[in-house]
């Protein structure tokens, strides 16, 4: 009987090691696919990893996994599944008490809410991300949050508010010397004016975006 119990324990240990190895192999592949821009492949690979995720997986790799899974869902337009994945990553990052990672997860969550047209939830999550980014001094992330809210305001026809948030983002990006972000902000301001049918203003900002790029 003792030998049989020992055999079962050894078998269980072997299964856990195999499951962990399989999970790590799949996540390594999925993360690389994301980095290579192969979103559909990453989504498929990470969904396979989800089926073998170890129950005792530590908080940080667990949070990172669900964040990357959320990115794969977001990039393939599967926003509702992305929201669920980002919520799970956010829960783990909060348990880790890492404000930087919490802010990133909130921003991702807000963008996913924006994808399904849930603008109120999107604005709430992104504003929380902005406040955290402001608190620990990540100016680039703060500008990304204001930029995202600017886009939400434009999509809902609130052009004055949209310009306010895009100009906040532009000011920060110029201050920190973030060239690509500065070009994006000029472009976004131009698009607001374009939607507003103020074509003279739109042209000026779009030309500045082109020059910056």
């Amino acid at each position: 009987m003792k030998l049989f119990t020992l055999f079962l324990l050894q078998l269980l240990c072997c299964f856990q090691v195999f499951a962990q190895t399989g999970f790590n192999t799949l996540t390594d592949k999925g993360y690389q696919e994301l980095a290579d821009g192969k979103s559909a492949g990453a989504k498929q690979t990470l969904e396979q990893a989800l089926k073998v995720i170890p129950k005792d997986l530590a908080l940080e790799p667990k949070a990172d996994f669900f964040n990357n899974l959320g990115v794969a869902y977001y990039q393939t337009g599967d926003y509702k599944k992305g929201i669920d994945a980002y919520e799970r990553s956010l829960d783990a990052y909060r348990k880790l008490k890492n404000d930087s990672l919490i802010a990133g997860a909130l921003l991702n969550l807000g963008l996913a809410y924006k994808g399904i047209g849930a603008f109120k939830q999107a604005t709430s999550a992104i504003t929380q991300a902005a406040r955290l980014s402001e608190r620990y001094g990540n100016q680039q992330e703060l500008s990304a949050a204001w930029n995202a809210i600017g886009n939400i305001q434009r999509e809902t026809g609130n052009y004055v508010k949209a310009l306010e948030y895009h100009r906040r983002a532009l000011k920060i990006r110029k201050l920190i010397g973030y060239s690509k972000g500065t070009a994006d902000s000029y472009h976004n301001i131009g698009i607001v004016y374009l939607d507003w049918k103020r074509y003279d203003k739109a042209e000026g900002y779009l030309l500045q975006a082109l020059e910056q790029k």
Side-chain angles (χ1 to χ4, degrees):
M1 187 65 179
K2 288 182 179 179
L3 288 174
F4 180 70
T5 302
L6 182 61
F7 171 75
L8 285 177
L9 288 171
Q10 289 174 331
L11 188 63
L12 181 60
C13 289
C14 289
F15 176 77
Q16 289 174 334
V17 170
F18 176 77
Q20 181 73 57
T21 302
F23 176 76
N24 289 340
T25 300
L26 287 166
T27 53
D28 287 347
K29 181 185 176 185
Y31 297 168
Q32 187 59 54
E33 287 171 329
L34 275 181
D36 293 339
K38 300 175 181 177
S39 304
K43 174 182 171 180
Q44 185 176 13
T45 301
L46 294 176
E47 282 183 329
Q48 291 175 2
L50 181 61
K51 294 176 182 177
V52 294
I53 187 170
K55 292 181 179 180
D56 59 346
L57 187 65
L59 272 177
E60 188 166 353
K62 181 180 180 181
D64 292 342
F65 169 72
F66 281 109
N67 186 67
N68 280 290
L69 180 61
V71 171
Y73 282 135
Y74 179 82
Q75 291 183 354
T76 54
D78 203 344
Y79 301 122
K80 289 185 178 179
K81 286 186 178 179
I83 289 168
D84 180 64
Y86 285 141
E87 288 278 15
R88 295 178 75 172
S89 72
L90 179 59
D91 180 63
Y93 285 139
R94 279 176 169 153
K95 288 174 181 174
L96 288 166
K97 298 181 180 179
N98 186 317
D99 282 352
S100 175
L101 296 175
I102 292 169
L106 282 166
L107 179 57
N108 285 341
L109 179 62
L111 292 173
Y113 273 123
K114 177 179 176 289
I116 63 169
F119 296 124
K120 184 177 180 180
Q121 294 94 322
T123 301
S124 175
I126 296 170
T127 301
Q128 290 178 64
R131 296 309 180 199
L132 279 174
S133 299
E134 195 169 32
R135 187 185 305 166
Y136 66 79
N138 190 326
Q139 294 295 301
Q140 187 167 322
E141 199 169 77
L142 176 60
S143 73
W146 293 146
N147 186 72
I149 294 179
N151 286 332
I152 291 171
Q153 295 297 328
R154 177 183 64 81
E155 289 187 27
T156 53
N158 297 319
Y159 300 125
V160 174
K161 280 288 186 181
L163 289 173
E164 177 188 331
Y165 282 105
H166 281 310
R167 283 174 176 148
R168 283 191 200 180
L170 176 61
K171 182 178 179 180
I172 293 169
R173 288 168 169 178
K174 289 173 72 175
L175 186 66
I176 64 176
Y178 180 27
S179 296
K180 182 184 180 302
T182 300
D184 288 343
S185 287
Y186 279 132
H187 177 266
N188 288 336
I189 292 171
I191 294 299
V192 173
Y193 279 121
L194 197 62
D195 286 359
W196 204 356
K197 302 187 187 307
R198 297 180 65 177
Y199 302 118
D200 54 332
K201 289 275 192 178
E203 182 181 15
Y205 280 100
L206 292 173
L207 286 172
Q208 286 186 77
L210 187 61
E211 182 181 345
Q212 184 73 30
K213 287 179 179 180

